[in-house]
Amino acid sequence: MDAGNAQHIHGHQHQMQEHVMLSNHSMQDQGQQEESSEEREYRSLMKKWWRAAIVSVPVILVSYPNLFGLGNLFPMGSGQLWWARLIMGLLALYVVIRSGGQFFVGTWEGLKQRSANMNTLIATGVSAAWLYSLVALFWPQIFPRPEMADVYYDVTTVVTALVVLGSALEVKARGRSSEAINKLVALQPQTANVVRDGKEVRVPLEEIKIGDHIVVRPGEKVAIDGTVVSGSSAVDESMLTGESIPVEKNENDEVFGGTLNKTGSFTFKVTKDQKDSALANIVEMVKQAQGSRIPVQKVVDQVSSFFTPGVIIAAILGYIVWYDFGPQPGWVYALIVAVTTLIIACPCALGMATPMSLTTGIGKGAENGILIRSGEALQIAQKLKTIVMDKTGTITEGKPSLTDIVPLGKFTEEELLLISASIEQGSEHPLASAIVEKAKEKGSRPVKSEGFNAIPGHGVEGTIDGKKIYFGNLKLMKEKGIPLDGFNRYDASMADQGKTPMFLAINGEAGGIVAVADTVKKDSLSVIHELKSMGLEVVMITGDNERTARAIAKQVGIDRVLAEVLPQHKAENVRKLQEEGKKVAMVGDGINDAPALTQADVGIAIGTGTDVAIEASDITLISGSLKGVVSAIKVSRATMKNIYEGLFGAFIYNAIGIPIALGVLYPFTGILLSPLVAAAAMAFSSLTVVLNANRLKRLKLKFN
Amino acid sequence: MNWIVTIGGLLLIGVIAWYFWGPKKGGSLVETNASGYQEAKILVKNGYNPSRIVVQSGKPVRFEFTRVETGACDGMVIFPDFEKSATLPAGEKVIVDLPPMKTGSYDFTCQMGMFRGKIIVKN
C-alpha cells in the first residue's frame, strides 16, 4: 500500500468516525425529542405519586391510632385527636390538589360538554370521602350515632396515590408500545455528504434538495431516497424490509433513506423529498393503521359511552339500598359502598385494550417489514382460509434465468454457453438476457457475431468464427433442416418442468440445448408448506399455460392451480373462491393484480412491486420475500388474540369488581371491599391491560 | 330520614341520566372559508373545545386541532366513520380534512374513546 493510499484511507476513517459521532448525536437528539413528552409526563406523575405516598404515611397513622400503638397519644374523642385529624384533613386536601388536580380539571372539562370519563369517577369518589370526613369532623352531632362520625382522609390520599402511580406506570408502558415508530423515525441520519461545486459538504437533512448528489461510505447511513449514479455496495435494508441479508446496489438501483451501507462507497442522486421518502410513508402508514378502528371496537365504543354515568348511577343506587336496608350505621356503609364502586370501575382498561394491542401488533409488523394498513385488515387476516398467490413475481422470481445446458454434440457446456451468449448478446429478448447474464457470471466473454438476425417467433441466426449458428425453438430447427435426434425427447420433459428449452445448431448439426425458466423464489416452498400447516389452502393463479403452471405448482407443493387466467379475470376468480364461503387473501405484485387485491378480503402486495399494487392492498410486504405472508398472518392472529384477552380482562374485571364493590357478597360472606383495595385493583387493572399488550412484542416471527 | 335519601338519590339519578344521555342541543356552527372548506378550529385540552361541531352537508370539512397539553391520552384523534386518524403533537397545529358528509352525526374520539366529540351534519 503506498503512502497516498494510506493517507486516503486514513482520511476516510477519520470522516467515518466523525460521521458516526455526528449521526449518533443527531439520533440521540431525535430520540430525546420523541421521548421527552412521555418522559416528562412520567416524571411529573412520579413526582405526584411520591408526594401523595409520603403524605399518606402520617394520614394512615392518625386514622388508625390504636393499630399503630398511638392510642395513648390520640385517645378516642380527645381534643388532640380532633386537631390531628384536622391537620390530616388539610394534608389530604393538599395531596388531592397537588397530586390529583388533573382528575378535577378533567371532570370539569367533561361536565361542561356533558360527558363523563375516568376522571369523573376518581374525582367523585375522592371528594365524597373528603367531604364526608369534613362534615364528620366539624358537625359530628348531625350523625345519629357518634361512631359514624369517622374520617376517611386515608381513603382520599391513598386512592389518589395509587391511581397516580397506576397512570405513571401506564404512561411508561404505553411509550414502549409505540417504540416501533420512534425506532423507525430515529433511523434516518440528520446529515449527509452532498457534492456541491465538486466538493463534499456535510449538509443537514432539511437542506437536501431533489437532484443533489450524495456520497455514502461504508458504515454510513443513506440519508434519503435516491438512485445510485456511481459506485456499488451492499446495503442493509433490514429496517425497512425486515430482511437481514444486505442487498447489492449498482448503478441505477434505488436506495432508501435510513438504510445502512455496508461494504462499498457510492454516490446517489436524490429523487424524493424527505416527506415522500419510503421511510416517511411507512411511518405515516403505520401511524394511520395504529389509530384505525377494528370492527370489534364498535361494541366497546358503545359500552364506554354509557359506562361512566352508568357507574355513577350504580353508586347512588348502592348508597340508597345500603342506607335503607343495610346494617347500622347506614351512612357509613352506604358511603363506603358508593366510594368503592366509583373507584373500582375502570373505563380506562376497557378503552385501552384494543388500541394498546393494535399499536403494538402493527408496530411489531412494521419492524419486520410488514405494513398492515388498517385495523380491519388485521381482524380479517386472522380469519383467512384461502391464500391466492400470483405465480410470476410472487412465487417465482419473475424473470427468467438459465437452468440447464445439455450438450448433444462435440461441444462442452462452457462452449455452448459462450456460443449462445455470443449470438444472443445483441437481442432484446428477456430470455436472451438470462443467458448473457449467466455467461458473465461464469466469467466467459462473449465474442462478436456476424450477420445477426432475429427470426420473430422462432429464434436468432448468425455467424461466429465462421460457423453458421441457429438458436431458437424446435420450429426453427425443423425449418432449417437440422437433424432432430435428441432434441425431441428433451422438449416435452423440459416443458413439464416449467422450462423453456432453446436449441442450438452449429454448422447444421445439433449442438445442445440451453433451457431457461422463471425460477421459484428460494422461500416459496417453505412458506407454502408453513401456510398449509397453519391450516390454509394455497391456490396459484397465473396467466401462463396449464403445463408450466402445474410444473411450478408441483415444485412448491400447491395442489390447486388456476391457469390461463387473463389479468382482467383475476378478480373474478377471487370472487368465485369467496363464493365458496371462505375469507380469501390475494398475494400479488403487478399492476394487473390490483383489481384482484381489491376484490380479496385481504390484499397482500409484495412491496418490491409497483405502487399501484401497494395502493390497492391492505397489507404490504416491503421485502420481496413470501415469508412476510406467514408473518403477517401470525401477527394478525396473535394481535387479535391479544385484543380479545385484553377486552375480556377489562370486561370481567368490571363485571366482577363493580358488583363486589356494591356489596353483593356481603349478605352471604360478610365481605365488603374497602376503597383502598378498590383503588389498588383499579390501578392494577389498567396496568394489566397495558402489560398484556406488551407481551405481543415477544412474538416470534422467524421460521425455518 | 330514609325517604329523603331514597327520593333525593332517585332524583339525582334522573338528573345524571338526563345530563349525560339526554338530548343535546347547540354546538358551534362552522363557517366556510374561501377554498370551500368548512373550517373548524378545535382546542385540545382535557377534551375537545368545542366538542360539538355543526356543519352543512355536501361540503368538505377541515379540522384544525391544536393540542395544548402533554397528557398522553388525547395525543391522537380518530374519526372512526371515515377511517381517519391523526397524531396531535403538543403545541402543533394539525389539519384533518374530511369529505362532504350526509346529514346525521359522526363521532370523533381520542384513541381510547375517553374524550369524545360530535360532528352534526345538517342540510
Side-chain angles (χ1 to χ4, degrees):
Chain A
M1 184 188 289
D2 64 22
N5 250 342
Q7 183 75 41
H8 186 62
I9 288 169
H10 179 78
H12 264 189
Q13 276 173 346
H14 182 72
Q15 273 180 339
M16 257 173 70
Q17 271 169 3
E18 187 185 62
H19 172 76
V20 169
M21 275 164 57
L22 265 168
S23 67
N24 277 349
H25 184 69
S26 51
M27 271 167 67
Q28 270 167 12
D29 272 3
Q30 181 125 4
Q32 273 164 13
Q33 272 169 18
E34 287 296 318
E35 216 176 44
S36 63
S37 118
E38 256 155 13
E39 265 303 298
R40 223 182 314 139
E41 202 194 353
Y42 173 73
R43 267 199 307 268
S44 126
L45 282 167
M46 282 310 279
K47 217 195 274 171
K48 289 175 177 174
W49 141 252
W50 279 113
R51 192 182 288 132
I54 290 167
V55 173
S56 293
V57 175
V59 173
I60 291 172
L61 289 181
V62 176
S63 300
Y64 309 99
N66 297 330
L67 205 64
F68 299 101
L70 300 175
N72 293 335
L73 209 56
F74 305 111
M76 273 301 162
S78 68
Q80 290 101 299
L81 186 64
W82 191 88
W83 278 105
R85 282 178 163 177
L86 180 67
I87 291 165
M88 292 310 119
L90 294 175
L91 278 178
L93 184 63
Y94 168 80
V95 167
V96 167
I97 292 167
R98 294 297 306 273
S99 294
Q102 76 266 29
F103 305 140
F104 291 86
V105 177
T107 303
W108 176 241
E109 297 290 342
L111 284 182
K112 280 200 295 195
Q113 295 164 15
R114 293 175 66 177
S115 76
N117 50 45
M118 184 197 96
N119 291 324
T120 321
L121 297 177
I122 305 291
T124 319
V126 164
S127 44
W130 194 84
L131 287 172
Y132 181 95
S133 309
L134 189 78
V135 175
L137 199 58
F138 282 94
W139 300 282
Q141 66 280 5
I142 71 163
F143 293 87
R145 285 191 302 192
E147 70 269 23
M148 282 162 61
D150 216 339
V151 295
Y152 292 93
Y153 293 127
D154 53 330
V155 172
T156 321
T157 57
V158 175
V159 166
T160 307
L162 285 174
V163 176
V164 169
L165 178 66
S167 337
L169 297 176
E170 198 185 299
V171 167
K172 189 89 177 164
R174 187 158 38 190
R176 267 187 246 131
S177 79
S178 54
E179 230 169 61
I181 286 201
N182 293 344
K183 267 197 227 160
L184 280 175
V185 171
L187 284 172
Q188 196 155 29
Q190 296 305 298
T191 57
N193 279 320
V194 177
V195 181
R196 294 256 162 93
D197 305 322
K199 280 186 196 154
E200 281 180 37
V201 202
R202 190 160 278 283
V203 167
L205 197 58
E206 316 74 85
E207 289 173 24
I208 296 173
K209 291 185 294 287
I210 291 177
D212 276 344
H213 281 65
I214 295 180
V215 180
V216 190
R217 300 203 167 79
E220 289 184 341
K221 281 187 171 173
V222 177
I224 196 158
D225 296 10
T227 311
V228 177
V229 287
S230 67
S232 68
S233 181
V235 176
D236 177 353
E237 296 189 333
S238 59
M239 57 287 289
L240 288 180
T241 62
E243 194 64 52
S244 53
I245 303 162
V247 184
E248 260 324 301
K249 295 288 177 185
N250 295 302
E251 231 169 274
N252 294 329
D253 283 344
E254 272 187 283
V255 288
F256 303 99
T259 57
L260 180 66
N261 180 26
K262 300 287 252 196
T263 51
S265 296
F266 61 91
T267 303
F268 72 95
K269 193 172 136 187
V270 177
T271 53
K272 276 184 184 156
D273 266 342
Q274 202 196 327
K275 64 171 169 42
D276 299 325
S277 71
L279 187 64
N281 277 332
I282 289 169
V283 168
E284 199 40 50
M285 268 167 68
V286 172
K287 277 187 183 168
Q288 276 292 335
Q290 285 182 336
S292 72
R293 304 251 106 173
I294 56 173
V296 63
Q297 180 70 13
K298 283 203 178 116
V299 183
V300 182
D301 285 348
Q302 281 294 321
V303 172
S304 33
S305 65
F306 285 96
F307 188 86
T308 308
V311 170
I312 299 176
I313 288 171
I316 297 172
L317 278 175
Y319 189 95
I320 296 171
V321 171
W322 277 86
Y323 184 86
D324 287 349
F325 307 107
Q328 288 306 311
W331 279 96
V332 176
Y333 282 102
L335 176 82
I336 288 177
V337 163
V339 169
T340 309
T341 306
L342 288 172
I343 286 167
I344 204 167
C346 187
C348 223
L350 216 53
M352 268 189 320
T354 320
M356 287 294 303
S357 307
L358 207 57
T359 306
T360 315
I362 290 176
K364 180 86 195 176
E367 272 175 44
N368 288 280
I370 302 153
L371 297 187
I372 300 167
R373 306 240 297 180
S374 72
E376 196 169 358
L378 188 97
Q379 181 170 352
I380 301 171
Q382 54 128 26
K383 294 186 200 148
L384 288 173
K385 284 275 176 287
T386 304
I387 314 276
V388 182
M389 286 188 183
D390 178 44
K391 180 182 82 71
T392 312
T394 303
I395 295 172
T396 66
E397 294 286 356
K399 59 170 194 190
S401 62
L402 192 148
T403 54
D404 303 78
I405 303 173
V406 186
L408 291 175
K410 53 192 178 207
F411 295 94
T412 64
E413 277 191 32
E414 286 75 32
E415 285 166 327
L416 290 174
L417 179 62
L418 178 67
I419 295 168
S420 49
S422 302
I423 193 86
E424 284 283 25
Q425 65 184 329
S427 167
E428 302 275 304
H429 201 275
L431 297 180
S433 68
I435 295 168
V436 175
E437 222 166 79
K438 186 70 169 192
K440 280 184 184 161
E441 205 179 284
K442 293 263 178 186
S444 59
R445 288 166 185 268
V447 294
K448 248 187 111 116
S449 63
E450 285 152 30
F452 174 82
N453 180 35
I455 311 161
H458 289 78
V460 293
E461 61 177 336
T463 310
I464 294 172
D465 285 343
K467 297 183 188 101
K468 182 70 188 171
I469 312 285
Y470 290 107
F471 189 49
N473 55 19
L474 214 52
K475 240 197 285 182
L476 178 70
M477 298 297 129
K478 279 182 192 159
E479 270 180 25
K480 298 297 170 190
I482 311 292
L484 297 176
D485 306 345
F487 280 172
N488 272 332
R489 72 190 153 93
Y490 281 102
D491 186 38
S493 70
M494 283 186 162
D496 276 340
Q497 293 167 42
K499 293 170 184 167
T500 308
M502 291 188 286
F503 305 95
L504 187 61
I506 302 161
N507 271 348
E509 279 177 50
I513 302 171
V514 177
V516 170
D518 181 4
T519 49
V520 166
K521 283 184 188 171
K522 66 179 192 310
D523 297 326
S524 296
L525 178 66
S526 60
V527 165
I528 288 160
H529 178 77
E530 180 87 7
L531 287 171
K532 283 164 121 184
S533 73
M534 289 163 80
L536 294 151
E537 182 195 21
V538 184
V539 178
M540 180 200 273
I541 196 164
T542 179
D544 268 5
N545 64 65
E546 186 88 28
R547 205 170 183 178
T548 315
R550 288 264 167 225
I552 297 282
K554 206 174 150 201
Q555 278 181 50
V556 294
I558 292 180
D559 309 316
R560 196 165 173 187
V561 178
L562 303 171
E564 289 160 44
V565 178
L566 294 172
Q568 59 269 35
H569 294 152
K570 278 187 181 170
E572 171 104 13
N573 276 276
V574 169
R575 197 173 49 86
K576 279 186 190 149
L577 287 169
Q578 286 170 322
E579 282 166 4
E580 293 172 17
K582 294 168 186 161
K583 293 277 180 217
V584 177
M586 166 79 198
V587 188
D589 70 328
I591 292 177
N592 60 29
D593 292 330
L597 288 172
T598 312
Q599 171 67 40
D601 296 291
V602 178
I604 303 178
I606 302 269
T608 46
T610 53
D611 288 345
V612 179
I614 294 171
E615 205 51 53
S617 71
D618 304 302
I619 296 177
T620 305
L621 312 175
I622 307 171
S623 79
S625 168
L626 271 182
K627 279 190 280 187
V629 177
V630 173
S631 304
I633 293 171
K634 281 190 177 165
V635 166
S636 140
R637 287 183 178 177
T639 307
M640 286 313 296
K641 185 164 165 259
N642 195 271
I643 287 174
Y644 287 123
E645 284 165 359
L647 281 179
F648 180 78
F651 268 113
I652 285 294
Y653 162 84
N654 283 305
I656 293 178
I658 295 173
I660 293 182
L662 282 169
V664 289
L665 292 183
Y666 185 83
F668 317 106
T669 61
I671 290 176
L672 198 57
L673 282 190
S674 114
L676 301 185
V677 176
M682 186 268 171
F684 181 72
S685 81
S686 27
L687 207 58
T688 323
V689 168
V690 177
L691 292 176
N692 179 53
N694 270 303
R695 280 193 314 132
L696 265 182
K697 287 206 284 192
R698 293 203 299 272
L699 177 66
K700 296 260 183 300
L701 288 176
K702 301 275 175 272
F703 71 95
N704 299 316
Chain B
M1 191 68 172
N2 281 17
W3 65 271
I4 299 181
V5 170
T6 308
I7 292 181
L10 292 176
L11 280 178
L12 188 59
I13 289 174
V15 169
I16 288 170
W18 170 81
Y19 190 75
F20 291 117
W21 298 330
K24 291 170 190 173
K25 282 196 186 127
S28 313
L29 190 65
V30 170
E31 286 183 9
T32 307
N33 68 8
S35 57
Y37 274 101
Q38 310 185 71
E39 219 169 33
K41 290 192 170 130
I42 294 181
L43 184 74
V44 183
K45 192 186 178 197
N46 267 305
Y48 306 108
N49 308 291
S51 65
R52 291 168 63 82
I53 311 295
V54 182
V55 300
Q56 271 186 323
S57 62
K59 279 187 197 169
V61 182
R62 170 167 291 169
F63 278 92
E64 184 191 293
F65 288 96
T66 313
R67 179 162 163 251
V68 293
E69 60 178 352
T70 54
C73 209
D74 48 12
M76 183 170 235
V77 63
I78 296 170
F79 295 85
D81 299 301
F82 307 94
E83 289 274 322
K84 276 224 166 169
S85 67
T87 38
L88 309 174
E92 269 177 48
K93 280 185 180 155
V94 178
I95 305 282
V96 180
D97 287 339
L98 295 179
M101 306 164 202
K102 287 182 189 153
T103 52
S105 72
Y106 306 90
D107 285 334
F108 55 99
T109 70
C110 73
Q111 203 187 11
M112 293 164 193
M114 298 300 296
F115 298 115
R116 313 179 80 87
K118 222 178 200 48
I119 309 167
I120 296 134
V121 187
K122 289 185 174 162
N123 263 327

